[in-house]
């Protein structure tokens, strides 16, 4: 609430006067009878006649009336406790959404702290479709970015974030809602392949007990250069040296692994294979919760015929567990998009792709 009180000639209120002003305003809010109640009703009536379509002139800061007070620590504690009974006052939320990046069937949300004095302990991200007012939690943690999955293409979504200060239980005010969408279709595994069970959205594949195994490919070549392709291992099973996750130029039925020509892959023990040949550099072994990412960009080799052999090169970066391997992958023809795939010899492996 707002209390207007004429200051003393010195411009400073005493401890007792300040506390009286605070209590008087609180009593008026709670409907106390008498003069305070009449003043509150009078103020309410005036507010109803304010024209909201016109704005007053904004005065300079030096012309704004100011009520200041000096108090000892004992009264300061009392005033703070009374204020916190009703809430807190903030000039702006301490965190704001900084960036929304579209991904296949998902959106990468990044946020940042905008209040230098605020020390965050946790962040809380919510989202909902733009035609809905029901926000739901999608992330709570200490990171400042998160990929929101299961996003329908060409549909607007609202995102907002708040934070919890260090040592506090309550959450801060919400940030300004931001609207984002993705135009990229989600990655999906090809259905109907013996040896693998798929989730309803076909973005999770589970190696089951059926035989035979072989390579499970994507439904279509949906991975393009300039994007990041991520495999997240949800659960693990027994390891075989032929196990692999990666990308390839074309599907080759009958193969039991991606460790072959026209393919780049990582085995479950961390070995990297390019066109069937094992590289010297190696990544950490894959474990439950591991995320393996593929990033590719075309390397310009200068003027040449697109159909000329050996003149199409991709700069490949594979990352896992804070380690990465970078190399050039030379192909005999230009390709606009790639398939992704996985192969596991034994059941128990579950992998999410996005």
């Amino acid at each position: 609430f707002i209390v207007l009180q004429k200051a003393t000639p010195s411009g400073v209120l005493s401890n007792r006067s300040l506390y009286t002003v605070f209590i008087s305003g609180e009593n008026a809010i709670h409907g106390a009878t008498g003069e305070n109640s009449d003043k509150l009703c009078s103020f309410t009536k005036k507010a109803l006649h304010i024209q909201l379509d016109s704005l007053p002139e904004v005065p300079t800061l030096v012309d704004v009336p100011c009520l200041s007070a000096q108090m000892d620590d004992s009264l300061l504690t009392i005033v703070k406790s009374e204020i916190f009974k009703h809430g807190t006052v903030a000039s702006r939320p301490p965190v704001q959404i900084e960036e929304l990046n579209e991904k296949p069937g998902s959106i990468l949300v990044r946020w940042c702290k905008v209040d230098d004095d605020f020390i965050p302990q946790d962040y809380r991200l919510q989202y909902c479709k733009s035609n809905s007012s029901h926000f739901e939690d999608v992330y709570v943690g200490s990171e400042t970015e998160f990929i929101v999955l299961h996003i329908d293409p060409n549909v607007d979504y609202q995102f907002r974030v708040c934070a919890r200060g260090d040592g506090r239980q309550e959450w801060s005010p919400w940030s300004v809602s931001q609207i984002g969408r993705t135009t990229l279709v989600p990655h999906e595994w090809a259905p109907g392949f013996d040896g693998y069970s798929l989730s309803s959205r076909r973005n999770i594949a589970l190696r089951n007990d059926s035989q035979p195994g072989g390579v499970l490919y994507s439904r279509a070549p949906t991975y393009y250069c300039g994007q990041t392709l991520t495999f997240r291992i949800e659960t693990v099973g027994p390891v075989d040296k032929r196990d692999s996750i990666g990308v390839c130029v074309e599907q080759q039925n009958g193969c039991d692994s991606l460790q072959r020509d026209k393919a780049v892959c990582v085995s479950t023990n961390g070995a990297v294979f390019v066109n069937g040949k094992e590289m010297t550099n190696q990544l950490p072994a894959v474990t439950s919760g591991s995320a393996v990412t593929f990033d590719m960009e075309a390397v310009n080799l200068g003027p040449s015929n697109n159909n000329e052999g050996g003149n199409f090169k991709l700069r490949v970066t594979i990352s896992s567990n804070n380690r990465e391997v970078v190399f050039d992958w030379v192909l005999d023809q230009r390709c606009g998009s790639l398939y992704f795939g996985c192969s596991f010899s034994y059941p128990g492996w579950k992998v999410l792709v996005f």
Side-chain angles (χ1 to χ4, degrees):
F1 53 84
I2 301 175
V3 178
L4 298 180
Q5 177 79 16
K6 184 180 294 184
T8 60
S10 64
V12 178
L13 297 179
S14 65
N15 287 353
R16 182 175 297 276
S17 298
L18 180 64
Y19 190 69
T20 300
V21 169
F22 187 85
I23 295 300
S24 298
E26 188 174 39
N27 289 337
I29 292 294
H30 287 298
T33 58
E35 183 179 356
N36 285 336
S37 180
D38 294 338
K39 289 182 179 179
L40 183 61
C41 292
S42 176
F43 178 80
T44 303
K45 291 179 181 179
K46 291 180 180 179
L48 294 176
H49 294 85
I50 295 176
Q51 296 183 355
L52 297 180
D53 59 348
S54 62
L55 296 175
E57 180 182 358
V58 179
T60 61
L61 189 60
V62 295
D63 294 331
V64 177
C66 177
L67 177 65
S68 62
Q70 294 177 343
M71 62 187 74
D72 54 37
D73 292 340
S74 61
L75 183 60
L76 181 62
T77 302
I78 297 175
V79 172
K80 280 185 175 180
S81 64
E82 292 296 325
I83 291 176
F84 286 134
K85 287 180 182 178
H86 302 279
T88 58
V89 178
S91 59
R92 59 179 179 175
V95 292
Q96 294 287 354
I97 291 177
E98 184 178 32
E99 193 175 6
L100 297 173
N101 287 335
E102 67 171 350
K103 302 289 183 180
S106 60
I107 294 179
L108 173 61
V109 185
R110 289 193 176 100
W111 55 89
C112 63
K113 186 181 72 167
V114 295
D115 185 347
D116 294 335
D117 298 326
F118 183 79
I119 302 177
Q121 174 180 295
D122 292 307
Y123 298 100
R124 181 183 179 188
L125 176 66
Q126 290 189 337
Y127 84 120
C128 72
K129 289 186 177 181
S130 290
N131 58 3
S132 171
S133 59
H134 176 66
F135 281 89
E136 59 181 272
D137 289 342
V138 69
Y139 173 77
V140 175
S142 59
E143 300 295 329
T144 56
E145 66 177 42
F146 185 76
I147 295 181
V148 183
L149 302 178
H150 305 156
I151 297 294
D152 295 328
N154 302 309
V155 175
D156 288 337
Y157 287 82
Q158 294 186 70
F159 299 88
R160 66 182 185 182
V161 67
C162 65
R164 181 162 50 196
D166 189 24
R168 304 298 293 270
Q169 295 296 322
E170 70 278 4
W171 292 100
S172 72
W174 289 105
S175 67
V176 177
S177 295
Q178 300 285 347
I179 296 179
R181 65 160 51 191
T182 180
T183 59
L184 306 175
V185 297
H187 294 311
E188 295 182 3
W189 298 104
F193 188 77
D194 291 339
Y196 294 89
S197 303
L198 306 183
S199 63
S200 59
R201 289 181 175 265
R202 299 177 182 173
N203 60 341
I204 300 178
L206 171 65
R207 179 68 170 92
N208 56 37
D209 296 330
S210 300
Q211 294 292 337
V215 179
L216 173 66
Y217 293 102
S218 57
R219 182 181 58 83
T222 53
Y223 176 59
Y224 294 85
C225 292
Q227 297 180 357
T228 297
L229 178 68
T230 302
F231 299 93
R232 191 170 71 200
I233 307 301
E234 303 291 297
T235 60
V236 298
V239 175
D240 187 279
K241 64 180 182 180
R242 296 170 298 172
D243 294 343
S244 58
I245 51 176
V247 297
C248 57
V249 175
E250 59 190 11
Q251 297 179 346
Q252 291 185 7
N253 297 325
C255 294
D256 61 356
S257 175
L258 284 173
Q259 300 171 17
R260 59 169 176 80
D261 189 34
K262 297 183 180 180
V264 169
C265 68
V266 178
S267 67
T268 50
N269 63 8
V272 179
F273 290 84
V274 182
N275 291 333
K277 297 180 180 179
E278 184 176 354
M279 293 185 61
T280 303
N281 295 333
Q282 188 167 323
L283 294 170
V286 173
T287 60
S288 179
S290 293
V292 181
T293 62
F294 287 74
D295 291 275
M296 299 189 185
E297 60 179 0
V299 178
N300 187 4
L301 299 180
S304 63
N305 188 326
N306 288 348
N307 296 321
E308 186 177 344
N311 281 323
F312 185 59
K313 183 188 295 186
L314 294 175
R315 180 76 35 85
V316 181
T317 302
I318 307 177
S319 305
S320 177
N321 295 330
N322 298 320
R323 293 269 303 276
E324 67 178 28
V325 174
V326 182
F327 56 90
D328 288 341
W329 181 22
V330 179
L331 299 172
D332 57 6
Q333 62 181 356
R334 182 177 297 273
C335 57
S337 57
L338 299 169
Y339 290 89
F340 57 85
C342 69
S343 65
F344 300 103
S345 298
Y346 299 105
W349 290 90
K350 181 192 291 186
V351 57
L352 165 69
V353 61
F354 58 90

